[in-house]
Amino acid sequence: MEEKQTLICDRCKVEMDLIEAQFSYLERTFRHKVPRCPQCGQVHIPEDLAKGHMSKVEAALEEK
Ligand SMILES: [Zn+2]
């Protein structure tokens, strides 16, 4: 089941799109769905991802 939660971009006040992003961490890559603002491109990293070891993750966005 997929969670449907909509987030609003702080800057643009528009709904963020859910996109699949590729993360790199310690030479490993994995994918995770994250909300991204269609206007400014800001990505919201969910709390569970941002916590702890994921805090320095860089998201390489891949659009398909
Ligand atoms: Zn925005």
Side-chain angles (χ1 to χ4, degrees), residues 9 11-12 14 37 39-40:
C9 177
R11 278 186 253 177
C12 317
V14 295
C37 173
Q39 275 190 39
C40 67

Side-chain angles (χ1 to χ4, degrees), residues 1-5 18 20 33:
M1 261 211 280
E2 209 163 296
E3 272 180 62
K4 269 257 175 163
Q5 45 174 173
L18 204 57
E20 193 170 78
K33 288 225 164 109

Side-chain angles (χ1 to χ4, degrees), residues 15-53:
E15 260 187 32
M16 293 173 112
D17 290 333
L18 204 57
I19 54 116
E20 193 170 78
Q22 185 171 287
F23 294 86
S24 316
Y25 177 71
L26 291 180
E27 295 174 26
R28 287 193 303 173
T29 57
F30 61 95
R31 290 167 176 280
H32 200 276
K33 288 225 164 109
V34 292
R36 186 184 65 157
C37 173
Q39 275 190 39
C40 67
Q42 182 184 279
V43 176
H44 173 84
I45 308 294
E47 235 181 83
D48 56 330
L49 258 190
K51 267 185 195 161
H53 65 279

